Amino acid sequence: MSNETLRDTFFAECEELIESLTEGLQVVASGAWDGETINAIFRAVHSIKGAAGAFGFTDLVTFAHAYETVLDLIRSDKLDIAPDVLRLITRSSDALAELVDTTRQQGSASLDPVRDLIGELEATAKDAKADTPPEPEFTWAPLALLPIEVEAPAPAQGFTIRFAPGASFYANGHEPVRFLSALDALGNLTVTCDSSAVPPLDGFDFDAGYLVWTLTLEGASDEEAIRRVFAFAEGLCTLDIAPLGDSTAPDLPEVEVEAAPLFIARAPAVDPPADPPADAPVTPAAAPPARAAAPRAPAPPVQTTLRVDPERVDRLINSVGELIINHAVISQKLESCGLGTDSEIMAALDDYRYLAREIQEAVMSIRAQPVKALFQRMGRVVREAGEATGKAVMFISEGEATEIDKTILERLADPLTHMLRNSVDHGLETAEKRRAAGKSEVGSVRLSAAHRSGHVVIEVSDDGAGLNRERILAKAMEKGLVPPDAKLTEPEIDNLLFMPGFSTAENVTNLSGRGVGMDVVKTTITSLGGKVGITSLAGEGSTFTISLPLTLAVLDGMIIGVGAETMVLPLSSVVETVRPQRRDIHEIAGELVLSVRGTYVPIVDLALLFGMRSAKGQSAERSYVLLDAGGASIAVAVDAIQDQRQVVIKSLEGNYGTVPGIAAATILGDGKIALIIDSEALVELVSPRRNARPLIELEA
Amino acid sequence: MSDEETNDRGNTTEFVSLSAGDQGFCVPITSIREIRRWSQVTALPFAEDSVLGVMNLRGAVIPIVDLAARLGLGTTEIGARNIVVVVAIGPRIMGMLVDSVSEILSVNTETIRPNPTIRRDGGASHVTGLLPVDDIMLRVLDLDALFAREGEEAA
């Protein structure tokens, strides 16, 4: 494994660790946390620190260390999670994530932006240490009572073992992993390796032992058994064994073990630093706070995941696509042989189709990933935006388990970032205005995801003032985006936000408001085959709704005939198909329009547009498909409407390039290629001709 | 094919000779993926005249280009006897419609003569050399240069 791949693995792991860190902090923020939550948070930061040390990312280590110190104090109950502490550790988690990102991109990260934060962390740690009650406060009086209480939880107890083999350990031919596997047999073992002592290569002594393992053994009850494992290495390594939940002072209980006559008496000797001494003797049952209960709680089931090169999955998806096309080919061939649908082979072919579909769905689900990681990152964006604008913001995320295609997910980050910043910056009012409006001073920004009829719907909503339509319209007129005398409906005004060069911010802030933004958001979402919409209620807030396809690999299409060619229209943009009367088609200065229930829609002759010969010359004899794309409607004249079915998307870009008005290609049942029409691009392609309507000057 | 590399060892390279627009050409065999019969293509809108359309090559959508038209030698009359040479140009796969494909030539690279034509419009720059075989002369095609424009259009 090259250093490069190792680094990639490191960053991939960091990502996972930060995810669990964020997750833990959310649990803490919600109040429903216990000792294991804090442990998990601590472990995540500790692991990042350890691994970063191994790669020589010293800045990362420095920050993680300061962070870890504070978490350790919380873990050992020396520091309460007061609101300011919670805010500190949440901010630190954001900063850590950012440091990791910067390190990944630039190979190193500067500590300058987090200097203050480190100071705060250190100050908090110092205060907490000073607050810790001095040793003499512990009274050992209850010792005689406690063994009875401890007996029950004892089997579920665990130990933290610090295992530091020295040079002589290795010289004697010992292998750390053997000890670890022996320990693993005793209970549920978690291994953390501290490699921070490993020197750079030039100072490396190959015989020395640099690695220190911190082992958490859950479910083991017998310290003697652990000692027996290490019996052969006695004197060759440094070994500290402490009951779980008290790794901070491993030396202290060590002394007590010697003194206590019974093993079970040792446990309470460890507890006092955590428990209020006064409570313990009187009501031992009520005494253990959350932390004491932690070792007893079963570890949450670890989800095992598989790391797979996305290219392999793509290959699989491609092959499955072929399989489905192949099915269509076979069935078409058999039909042309005159085999009826009731024949045995057709029935068997039906099974083939079901199986192929099933495989396809399963393969697609490999690519699908929950939006959780993305939403957590967005939480960071909202917090940052809140801080930058000085607004108190509560971030609510819903439907984090909703799964969506990985490619779509990756490309959602930028538009969502922009929308969330907008919501905080423009959507939410200032605290004073909120108070005046009788709202809570803390504004809320909600990000939600849900599956809805074959689509993923993502909503970004705020409880701010809502869109100021008058101002939007005035601004658009001022910028010449709409003629001054235009009469626009409310949705039309709302949609002005998506026009290039539009910005309502009175002051351009560094967060948003440079006039590039919402139009880019829209372009991105559109390129993913999705739609964006706005709803807004004055005084109650605005909601941006993004609707996305579940996957980019297949598409529900309407198969149409254009001249001699077969083409596909994305069903998502098809409104209806019409066979109009001759009197419904009007000519205006050489252009045709179709009247549909009182409105006039421009007609696009696909055959003409794409330079193909139409099979039927008479416009009234043709079928029309009404398309709605990008807020505009067009009627597409086609020669035939054949079918509606799911088609596998094949890119044209790889081998050829982009074609105006064409999104991609697909392969039909007869093995021929059909082009898939890009409805949005089609609207734009013909829009210069639609100057009759006021809105469109976008091309210029 | 750098000259330095080939001189001392007297390397041989294999070429496939083909004809398009009544002229003889050859293409390094390493860039050829397969050779197949002409089959119906799906026309592409807004494409250059030389681009006949796209074809399904075992699930991949590949453009088919009329080589003669591309070289400015007039359009090829399409019939069942035509051959499509599938070539790889960098990461792209495409098909060239030609009149016929004749043989595989093992050629000592030293025998390739430089293209002496000087055309200011660069029209002949995709012919990197001339290869005399028996009594005829084959033009060595630089496919990268010939189809580079396609990529730029796509961008």
Side-chain angles (χ1 to χ4, degrees):
Chain A
M1 216 194 262
S2 72
N3 208 17
E4 197 72 353
T5 29
L6 274 176
R7 269 187 50 157
D8 287 349
T9 316
F10 164 68
F11 285 118
E13 269 166 18
C14 274
E15 217 162 89
E16 278 168 24
L17 288 166
I18 284 170
E19 203 174 301
S20 60
L21 169 65
T22 320
E23 210 172 295
L25 285 173
Q26 273 174 0
V27 175
V28 172
S30 72
W33 55 280
D34 58 15
E36 192 38 51
T37 319
I38 304 293
N39 273 337
I41 295 175
F42 176 81
R43 270 201 302 273
V45 177
H46 186 75
S47 305
I48 292 176
K49 175 181 134 183
F55 283 96
F57 299 136
T58 44
D59 294 335
L60 211 51
V61 175
T62 312
F63 183 75
H65 179 75
Y67 190 9
E68 181 193 71
T69 313
V70 169
L71 291 175
D72 193 30
L73 287 168
I74 296 173
R75 192 167 71 141
S76 51
D77 279 357
K78 286 179 188 139
L79 182 63
D80 286 335
I81 305 185
D84 56 324
V85 175
L86 177 63
R87 217 159 28 238
L88 179 66
I89 58 177
T90 310
R91 266 171 55 212
S92 302
S93 133
D94 294 350
L96 184 65
E98 217 125 276
L99 274 179
V100 169
D101 267 358
T102 324
T103 312
R104 185 211 310 255
Q105 282 156 16
Q106 299 165 7
S108 67
S110 162
L111 278 180
D112 291 337
V114 294
R115 207 64 81 185
D116 293 347
L117 203 53
I118 294 179
E120 269 180 67
L121 285 167
E122 279 167 356
T124 310
K126 219 168 126 199
D127 291 352
K129 275 182 191 146
D131 288 351
T132 314
E135 291 283 316
E137 275 189 33
F138 305 128
T139 47
W140 306 106
L143 207 71
L145 271 175
L146 276 163
I148 306 152
E149 174 57 27
V150 177
E151 241 157 19
Q157 281 281 19
F159 293 92
T160 311
I161 305 153
R162 191 175 165 277
F163 171 38
S168 51
F169 174 89
Y170 295 101
N172 276 287
H174 287 305
E175 180 60 59
V177 72
R178 288 190 199 288
F179 291 90
L180 301 188
S181 27
L183 282 178
D184 197 29
L186 293 178
N188 188 3
L189 185 72
T190 317
V191 180
T192 320
C193 180
D194 180 4
S195 52
S196 54
V198 178
L201 260 188
D202 52 354
F204 197 89
D205 176 1
F206 290 92
D207 292 321
Y210 292 115
L211 301 177
V212 177
W213 282 273
T214 306
L215 316 169
T216 315
L217 188 58
E218 280 167 0
S221 57
D222 190 354
E223 191 187 334
E224 269 317 299
I226 299 172
R227 292 242 175 246
R228 266 202 301 279
V229 169
F230 288 102
F232 286 114
E234 214 170 345
L236 305 177
C237 63
T238 322
L239 197 63
D240 296 322
I241 303 179
L244 204 61
D246 197 18
S247 63
T248 52
D251 295 330
L252 188 70
E254 219 48 15
V255 182
E256 293 300 320
V257 176
E258 308 301 319
L262 282 170
F263 149 70
I264 40 169
R266 204 178 42 77
V270 183
D271 264 345
D275 296 347
D279 279 8
V282 190
T283 50
R291 197 188 56 84
R296 249 174 287 163
V302 180
Q303 260 188 328
T304 52
T305 53
L306 197 62
R307 222 181 279 247
V308 184
D309 184 355
E311 242 169 61
R312 293 193 199 180
V313 179
D314 288 349
R315 217 152 59 211
L316 196 58
I317 288 180
N318 262 335
S319 307
V320 175
E322 292 319 303
L323 193 67
I324 287 170
I325 291 165
N326 182 249
H327 164 267
V329 173
I330 295 176
S331 97
Q332 202 158 335
K333 293 246 154 83
L334 286 176
E335 258 170 55
S336 65
C337 290
L339 282 168
T341 43
D342 51 347
S343 64
E344 274 180 30
I345 190 157
M346 288 308 249
L349 203 60
D350 263 352
D351 291 342
Y352 174 17
R353 192 188 68 210
Y354 282 125
L355 285 172
R357 288 271 172 217
E358 215 160 281
I359 298 172
Q360 190 188 30
E361 270 168 37
V363 173
M364 293 296 181
S365 72
I366 298 179
R367 280 194 64 90
Q369 289 191 334
V371 295
K372 189 169 168 185
L374 176 70
F375 276 24
Q376 285 183 351
R377 247 168 86 197
M378 291 305 122
R380 238 188 290 158
V381 169
V382 171
R383 281 195 292 277
E384 279 168 11
E387 250 163 60
T389 53
K391 292 175 185 171
V393 190
M394 183 164 65
F395 176 68
I396 306 160
S397 72
E398 284 169 4
E400 290 187 336
T402 310
E403 290 190 334
I404 187 165
D405 188 279
K406 192 171 179 297
T407 322
I408 300 180
L409 201 60
E410 280 162 2
R411 287 163 66 183
L412 270 181
D414 285 344
L416 280 186
T417 304
H418 198 91
M419 291 168 86
L420 286 168
R421 281 184 182 162
N422 261 345
S423 288
V424 175
D425 199 11
H426 305 320
L428 295 181
E429 320 92 319
T430 56
E432 298 86 67
K433 278 191 194 160
R434 289 185 70 87
R435 212 176 313 127
K439 291 189 202 174
S440 150
E441 279 182 31
V442 180
S444 66
V445 170
R446 181 187 306 268
L447 181 59
S448 74
H451 282 285
R452 216 173 285 162
S453 61
H455 282 77
V456 177
V457 177
I458 294 178
E459 284 185 350
V460 176
S461 54
D462 60 67
D463 66 345
L467 296 177
N468 186 342
R469 296 201 170 94
E470 269 170 41
R471 208 174 87 199
I472 291 171
L473 188 57
K475 205 88 182 177
M477 287 174 176
E478 181 193 315
K479 300 206 173 212
L481 296 171
V482 284
D485 54 346
K487 290 265 183 298
L488 300 180
T489 62
E490 287 195 350
E492 275 177 326
I493 295 175
D494 293 350
N495 275 309
L496 288 174
L497 284 183
F498 293 116
M499 288 182 79
F502 184 88
S503 170
T504 53
E506 315 265 85
N507 318 313
V508 172
T509 66
N510 61 354
L511 263 188
S512 49
R514 273 177 301 265
V516 291
M518 289 315 274
D519 63 313
V520 179
V521 166
K522 185 171 187 183
T523 317
T524 313
I525 302 295
T526 307
S527 74
L528 292 171
K531 295 178 185 176
V532 204
I534 318 175
T535 51
S536 179
L537 269 177
E540 289 181 27
S542 319
T543 302
F544 289 83
T545 310
I546 301 172
S547 160
L548 289 162
L550 284 179
T551 163
L552 295 176
V554 290
L555 169 128
D556 283 314
M558 176 180 274
I559 317 290
I560 53 167
V562 179
E565 303 284 355
T566 307
M567 298 188 124
V568 181
L569 281 171
L571 214 51
S572 58
S573 56
V574 172
V575 182
E576 61 178 326
T577 57
V578 272
R579 281 302 298 269
Q581 305 285 318
R582 185 176 290 268
R583 58 182 148 81
D584 292 331
I585 295 167
H586 310 273
E587 197 195 301
I588 301 167
E591 301 295 329
L592 294 177
V593 293
L594 179 68
S595 91
V596 186
R597 287 183 294 273
T599 61
Y600 295 95
V601 182
I603 290 175
V604 177
D605 185 337
L606 277 186
L608 207 67
L609 181 72
F610 291 148
M612 298 162 189
R613 201 175 311 143
S614 170
K616 297 168 189 168
Q618 284 296 329
S619 51
E621 283 163 26
R622 307 169 73 184
S623 299
Y624 292 82
V625 182
L626 273 187
L627 291 186
D628 181 32
S633 298
I634 52 170
V636 173
V638 301
D639 296 316
I641 294 170
Q642 294 172 357
D643 196 2
Q644 280 182 16
R645 77 170 89 121
Q646 216 171 44
V647 296
V648 178
I649 297 175
K650 297 277 175 186
S651 167
L652 276 175
E653 276 163 52
N655 290 324
Y656 180 67
T658 48
V659 182
I662 301 294
T666 189
I667 297 170
L668 297 175
D670 57 4
K672 283 239 189 71
I673 290 173
L675 301 177
I676 302 172
I677 289 163
D678 183 341
S679 317
E680 306 268 341
L682 196 64
V683 170
E684 273 176 34
L685 213 59
V686 298
S687 57
R689 293 199 243 146
R690 299 175 52 232
N691 277 343
R693 293 190 61 189
L695 270 179
I696 312 295
E697 282 291 354
L698 307 189
E699 255 66 31
Chain B
M1 287 167 293
S2 68
D3 289 339
E4 298 88 331
E5 196 181 296
T6 49
N7 271 347
D8 13 5
R9 295 189 204 161
N11 271 354
T12 54
T13 309
E14 285 183 307
F15 286 92
V16 171
S17 66
L18 46 90
S19 81
D22 291 328
Q23 290 191 358
F25 294 94
C26 64
V27 175
I29 200 166
T30 47
S31 57
I32 295 183
R33 288 284 163 274
E34 63 182 280
I35 293 167
R36 41 190 302 140
R37 295 219 155 272
W38 163 259
S39 60
Q40 202 58 48
V41 295
T42 301
L44 281 176
F46 309 112
E48 264 180 49
D49 290 345
S50 66
V51 178
L52 299 167
V54 282
M55 190 183 80
N56 169 17
L57 179 72
R58 286 186 303 281
V61 177
I62 64 165
I64 305 296
V65 178
D66 182 345
L67 184 60
R70 184 79 193 182
L71 294 167
L73 305 171
T75 54
T76 306
E77 204 172 308
I78 294 166
R81 279 173 48 246
N82 289 112
I83 301 288
V84 172
V85 179
V86 180
V87 293
I89 299 154
R92 291 185 297 150
I93 306 283
M94 58 194 302
M96 302 189 300
L97 177 77
V98 298
D99 290 329
S100 65
V101 172
S102 353
E103 60 186 323
I104 297 173
L105 305 163
S106 267
V107 174
N108 188 325
T109 41
E110 281 176 62
T111 62
I112 299 175
R113 302 277 156 254
N115 178 5
T117 55
I118 311 151
R119 276 180 53 178
R120 210 169 292 141
D121 61 357
S125 65
H126 41 257
V127 174
T128 53
L130 302 174
L131 181 64
V133 177
D134 302 332
D135 53 348
I136 57 160
M137 196 259 313
L138 297 177
R139 298 149 190 84
V140 182
L141 275 181
D142 180 353
L143 297 177
D144 289 324
L146 184 59
F147 294 111
R149 264 202 292 154
E150 211 103 45
E152 285 162 22
E153 267 172 17

